[in-house]
Amino acid sequence: MSVEDVRVTVTRIYEDISGQSLEEGDILINTLHAIQDHYGNFIPIEAAEVLKELTGTPLSKIYEVLTFYTMFSTHKRGKYVVRVCKSLPCHVTGGQAVIDALKNILEIGFGETTEDGLFTLEETSCLGLCGVSPVMMINDEAYGNLTPERVSEIIHEIVSRERSE
Amino acid sequence: MPAVENTVLICAGGACISAGEKSVKGVFEETLRKYSLENVVRVVETGCMGACDLGPILVIYPEGVFYQKITPENASRIVEEHILKGRVVEDLLYVGDMGDLRERPQEELPFFTEQVRIATRNLGVIDPLSIDEYIARDGYFALHKVLFEIGTDDVIEILKKSELKGRGGAGFPTWMKWDFTKKAEGETKYVICNADEGDPGAFMDRAVLEGDPHSIVEAMTIAARVIGAQKGFVYVRAEYPLAIERLTHAMKMAREYGFLGENILGTDFSFDLEIRIGAGAFVCGEETALINSIEGKRGIPRVKPPFPANRGLWQKPTLLSNVETYANIPPIITNGGEWFSKFGVEGSRGTKVFALAGNVKNTGLVEVPMGITLRKLIFEIGGGVPGGKKLKAIQTGGPSGGCIPLELIDTPITYDNMKKLGTIIGSGGMIVMDEDSCMVDVAKYFLEFTVEESCGQCTPCRDGTRRMLEILERITSGEGTMEDLHLLKDLGENIMATSLCGLGQTAPQPVISTMRYFWDEYEAHVKEGRCFAKKCKSLTRVVISKEKCVGCTACSRVCPVEAISGSVRTPHEIDPEICTRCGSCLAVCRFGAISKVSP
């Protein structure tokens, strides 16, 4: 994607969001979410420059926000971001075995993306689904009562769906 | 159109969805269509019914028969048997401890019958997408009362009498917060709902937003009327997409019905709400960090005072409360302050929603009067520890709280009692741990969390917690000294005294509290290199008993790192250098030949 493409896209997203908002100056995070959704799980670094011009916010402040929040990434991530819960309720109900299974099946560690660009593995803080722990989210979909076997089923289901498309 | 004969409530809380609710509902509705029953059976997706371990759950009315742990495979049988032939599907009923089948556990089990549901009154009862169902359950009555029947000072008086305290963790009297913000000078004021629920093990806010979003819209509108605010924000974690979706819908409906927006219910009062989505930072649950985040900045806490009541969002007076606190407001206003304060005990009035998680039989959400004992909550309502294991400790208050040992389980849960035990009620998460949990490991776990989530602004929290974690890592890997234990305690007390915000001031709490009650475990790690729970990998080995092993090879086939050797029908052996102590082999051995040992 060229710098010009990013400029056009980010400008459109920004204008769209500022049109819906009641307040000015608080829309940076919402805009970043929308940009990330648009590009599929990451924010091209060039977007910061465009936002600087659009909002008048210093570049340093934009980088600050972009890098502070764990959900924003400036690196391209997989089509499916697997976010496995590392909190205590999951830990005491077999969470480590689930994490090990994910690493084994995907053959990647935390923060890494599979070679085919399908999956990125991340850890997350509590997902609030402790009643069915251990849990993970794949993009916006949550999966509970996980076991290493169930993890393997879920991942293989996605892989075979992707292959058939 | 024929009259509806059955109403089917399907729990569409986050936990049930993640356990497969969507496909169950799909099959169920498809089967209804197959038998042309779609017009006589009404299927409603409700919010969280509370009993997460039983999900997906489906309740059929008018009988109120409760089906649990339904799979897509047997969802069609419920239609074919129950709806079509009027026969209860016995194998999908709740099974009691004595193997007894319960058709209506919601009327019989302590998990349901011991509850007093105020904040969670509509959860699992109404369709969260229907404003009419909310209104039918007295929804927006309180708003009407505040706009037409009573004055804003009366509202403060009601809240004062109710003795409601903030349910997000700090437990500050709600009426005072409202009063301060009401009295604060300024034309522009804001109302904020803190829905950045981040404590591991707490999920009541999620359930309320997903299951009863209108209660938050109504409460915030009332708050705005009382303090004189024109705008409000709900700050929701990005981890809760379903909550965001349902709240957005509720706000839209409320605007259409005239409960939100310009000239609410025909009065000159106008107020509107917006959602702001977090981006994965635990510290944003701290009120001033949350305010910074709404302002589009890095979520770092501000120095207090000034408090948000005087200088909050964009330096304007701001009322900030958490989801559960707001959810209590409409029924308190409708029924009066005394009605609420008759529940609970001195100093801790009303009810509290607790989230039961970890090694407890009945996981999920329960709302009970405050002052209930931990024993009643965990054993009677929660059903105790599964698998015949012994309870070891209950962790409350997340990373700001501590662990309560079995010996203190008869303590009534009040703000004061919890403080005396060195923990807090916090947001109401209760993580139950059995004898397989190592308390040093638990402390280390929370420190890892704090190190990860520290915003980095102040040194005690940023560097101090990191040093604490290093010490804990030494201890759990068998390299700790007694001096380390004292250093750990010292450092913790220092961090608590000198950190800027609540996160840092409470971060060492899980360590201090486990040292207080489980000092012998810390000592055993250091002096004997022994982990009681056999959890710390460096201090534990997995061994195969030569006497018991028959050489079936089940273990060596399942070992992910090929640490097990031995030929068929001869005893196997584990190479401790390769073994990762994952426990896979333990799970598959049918002869009880494999065990974990710690010297």
Side-chain angles (χ1 to χ4, degrees):
Chain A
M1 93 199 68
S2 76
V3 177
E4 201 40 45
D5 285 345
V6 174
R7 178 175 307 278
V8 172
T9 311
V10 170
T11 307
R12 187 176 47 74
I13 291 172
Y14 175 76
E15 281 168 359
D16 194 33
I17 288 182
S18 46
Q20 302 161 8
S21 177
L22 297 169
E23 296 280 344
E24 279 175 28
D26 66 320
I27 54 171
L28 183 59
I29 292 173
N30 272 8
T31 310
L32 290 173
H33 270 301
I35 295 171
Q36 181 154 290
D37 286 347
H38 175 85
Y39 286 101
N41 290 328
F42 87 109
I43 297 168
I45 196 73
E46 296 85 355
E49 193 84 33
V50 183
L51 283 172
K52 180 194 87 174
E53 287 160 26
L54 289 171
T55 61
T57 312
L59 198 56
S60 61
K61 293 277 172 204
I62 294 174
Y63 281 144
E64 192 181 275
V65 169
L66 193 50
T67 53
F68 179 78
Y69 295 96
T70 52
M71 282 195 147
F72 296 138
S73 172
T74 51
H75 302 286
K76 206 166 180 305
R77 288 189 280 191
K79 181 173 178 186
Y80 297 93
V81 178
V82 180
R83 309 177 70 232
V84 59
C85 183
K86 274 205 75 185
S87 290
L88 189 64
C90 288
H91 183 62
V92 300
T93 49
Q96 192 56 47
V98 166
I99 292 172
D100 292 343
L102 276 168
K103 287 181 175 170
N104 279 332
I105 296 164
L106 298 172
E107 297 178 345
I108 50 174
F110 284 126
E112 294 174 357
T113 301
T114 51
E115 268 176 32
D116 56 9
L118 265 188
F119 297 97
T120 298
L121 183 61
E122 291 183 358
E123 47 192 302
T124 172
S125 54
C126 184
L127 292 173
L129 296 167
C130 321
V132 289
S133 59
V135 294
M136 66 174 175
M137 274 179 102
I138 300 181
N139 292 345
D140 272 357
E141 197 99 10
Y143 299 86
N145 294 326
L146 294 177
T147 57
E149 295 73 37
R150 183 83 189 100
V151 166
S152 158
E153 278 169 33
I154 294 164
I155 298 293
H156 287 120
E157 216 175 281
I158 294 175
V159 171
S160 59
R161 196 168 64 220
E162 283 294 324
R163 290 217 177 112
S164 66
E165 268 171 17
Chain B
M1 192 178 137
V4 169
E5 287 171 13
N6 290 103
T7 299
V8 177
L9 302 186
I10 297 186
C11 177
C16 278
I17 290 180
S18 68
E21 180 267 340
K22 288 290 166 202
S23 17
V24 166
K25 180 173 171 267
V27 172
F28 191 86
E29 288 182 321
E30 196 182 304
T31 319
L32 284 177
R33 280 193 295 276
K34 183 174 155 195
Y35 295 102
S36 304
L37 291 167
E38 69 269 30
N39 291 325
V40 289
V41 178
R42 185 168 160 257
V43 181
V44 180
E45 280 187 300
T46 72
C48 178
M49 294 186 182
C52 300
D53 61 308
L54 304 180
I57 299 170
L58 182 154
V59 188
I60 302 187
Y61 289 95
E63 305 93 321
V65 175
F66 183 100
Y67 291 112
Q68 50 132 21
K69 295 185 185 169
I70 306 159
T71 60
E73 291 73 41
N74 54 37
S76 54
R77 272 175 45 224
I78 301 177
V79 175
E80 286 161 355
E81 292 291 311
H82 187 119
I83 301 210
L84 217 51
K85 299 176 190 159
R87 287 201 293 245
V88 170
V89 188
E90 293 196 343
D91 59 307
L92 296 176
L93 292 178
Y94 181 86
V95 187
D97 290 339
M98 318 299 286
D100 45 327
L101 294 178
R102 301 292 180 98
E103 280 187 23
R104 279 171 280 275
Q106 285 166 306
E107 296 162 20
E108 299 164 8
L109 292 187
F111 182 86
F112 296 103
T113 57
E114 291 292 331
Q115 292 198 48
V116 176
R117 306 204 350 173
I118 297 173
T120 59
R121 61 197 175 279
N122 289 326
L123 263 58
V125 181
I126 65 167
D127 174 359
L129 295 177
S130 164
I131 189 169
D132 294 326
E133 292 193 14
Y134 178 72
I135 295 170
R137 303 258 306 164
D138 295 349
Y140 291 107
F141 281 32
L143 175 63
H144 186 275
K145 187 173 174 181
V146 172
L147 286 177
F148 298 105
E149 294 167 35
I150 59 173
T152 50
D153 286 327
D154 300 329
V155 176
I156 304 263
E157 197 52 39
I158 292 173
L159 291 182
K160 192 174 178 179
K161 283 196 181 125
S162 76
E163 295 181 48
L164 173 67
K165 289 181 180 175
R167 298 297 195 232
F172 190 78
T174 303
W175 75 270
M176 285 173 84
K177 241 187 199 180
W178 286 45
D179 201 37
F180 288 154
T181 327
K182 184 173 189 283
K183 288 179 179 150
E185 305 232 347
E187 292 267 300
T188 309
K189 294 182 185 179
Y190 296 100
V191 178
I192 298 178
C193 175
N194 182 348
D196 192 49
E197 182 172 57
D199 281 359
F203 47 96
M204 56 287 293
D205 293 353
R206 172 188 185 124
V208 169
L209 286 172
E210 289 177 355
D212 193 19
H214 282 288
S215 66
I216 303 306
V217 175
E218 182 180 6
M220 290 181 75
T221 312
I222 292 169
R225 172 67 169 184
V226 172
I227 67 154
Q230 304 79 30
K231 283 162 193 165
F233 294 91
V234 186
Y235 187 90
V236 194
R237 314 172 70 197
E239 287 87 344
Y240 289 181
L242 185 64
I244 295 167
E245 187 187 312
R246 292 196 184 152
L247 184 64
T248 306
H249 183 266
M251 281 159 45
K252 183 170 157 271
M253 294 310 294
R255 278 187 207 106
E256 277 179 27
Y257 275 58
F259 297 130
L260 196 63
E262 294 291 315
N263 302 107
I264 292 171
L265 292 175
T267 63
D268 59 358
F269 167 59
S270 302
F271 172 73
D272 214 340
L273 274 176
E274 274 193 59
I275 294 177
R276 285 290 175 269
I277 302 169
F282 174 75
V283 68
C284 287
E286 200 281 336
E287 55 182 8
T288 56
L290 184 149
I291 288 172
N292 274 339
S293 183
I294 294 183
E295 289 184 9
K297 298 176 192 152
R298 205 148 55 102
I300 54 173
R302 298 174 179 174
V303 178
K304 290 191 275 192
F307 290 95
N310 291 309
R311 280 162 67 187
L313 189 59
W314 290 295
Q315 302 297 320
K316 303 284 193 287
T318 304
L319 174 73
L320 207 148
S321 286
N322 105 309
V323 173
E324 190 187 335
T325 315
Y326 279 125
N328 278 305
I329 300 288
I332 289 177
I333 290 176
T334 309
N335 302 313
E338 292 89 348
W339 165 80
F340 187 77
S341 65
K342 76 172 195 276
F343 301 106
V345 293
E346 182 72 42
S348 299
R349 294 291 177 191
T351 56
K352 175 79 191 87
V353 186
F354 292 105
L356 301 178
N359 307 127
V360 63
K361 186 167 167 275
N362 307 329
T363 57
L365 288 181
V366 288
E367 182 171 0
V368 289
M370 288 197 136
I372 188 176
T373 62
L374 281 159
R375 181 186 296 281
K376 187 163 180 183
L377 183 63
I378 304 299
F379 284 96
E380 204 172 311
I381 295 174
V385 178
K389 298 237 166 95
K390 207 175 139 201
L391 174 80
K392 185 165 191 177
I394 304 152
Q395 208 284 339
T396 73
S400 302
C403 291
I404 302 167
L406 177 65
E407 306 87 85
L408 295 169
I409 194 159
D410 287 306
T411 314
I413 307 170
T414 64
Y415 288 107
D416 287 346
N417 283 346
M418 292 295 113
K419 200 173 163 191
K420 276 180 215 148
L421 299 187
T423 180
I424 52 169
I425 293 179
S427 47
M430 296 260 162
I431 308 171
V432 181
M433 289 174 285
D434 65 21
E435 54 201 334
D436 291 341
S437 285
C438 165
M439 290 298 124
V440 187
D441 176 63
V442 166
K444 188 180 85 175
Y445 218 77
F446 275 109
L447 257 293
E448 277 174 10
F449 180 84
T450 318
V451 166
E452 181 78 21
E453 295 295 342
S454 173
C455 79
Q457 188 178 197
C458 72
T459 316
C461 175
R462 182 191 60 236
D463 290 344
T465 54
R466 200 170 283 272
R467 298 290 92 78
M468 284 182 81
L469 177 59
E470 286 166 5
I471 299 173
L472 284 165
E473 275 166 352
R474 281 208 292 275
I475 297 171
T476 51
S477 57
E479 289 156 17
T481 61
M482 286 308 284
E483 204 177 310
D484 274 337
L485 294 188
H486 298 292
L487 183 61
L488 193 60
K489 195 157 174 281
D490 254 16
L491 193 52
E493 282 163 0
N494 255 305
I495 294 170
M496 289 163 87
T498 54
S499 289
L500 174 70
C501 81
L503 175 64
Q505 285 161 12
T506 54
Q509 202 62 276
V511 180
I512 303 284
S513 134
T514 45
M515 286 182 115
R516 174 171 166 186
Y517 297 117
F518 300 96
W519 181 257
D520 55 335
E521 275 194 49
Y522 277 87
E523 252 187 19
H525 277 73
V526 171
K527 287 185 174 164
E528 304 161 45
R530 185 151 79 98
C531 174
F532 289 168
K534 303 183 185 77
K535 191 93 183 176
C536 295
K537 288 183 177 179
S538 311
L539 308 181
T540 307
R541 282 191 305 130
V542 184
V543 290
I544 300 178
S545 151
K546 280 198 168 63
E547 289 74 41
K548 288 183 184 164
C549 179
V550 298
C552 74
T553 74
C555 58
S556 62
R557 275 178 284 139
V558 79
C559 179
V561 290
E562 296 176 12
I564 306 178
S565 57
S567 37
V568 189
R569 284 191 285 279
T570 58
H572 283 43
E573 246 182 303
I574 300 176
D575 184 339
E577 296 299 313
I578 307 173
C579 173
T580 62
R581 284 84 167 153
C582 72
S584 304
C585 51
L586 268 152
V588 295
C589 181
R590 288 183 291 123
F591 306 95
I594 308 180
S595 57
K596 277 189 178 178
V597 291
S598 184

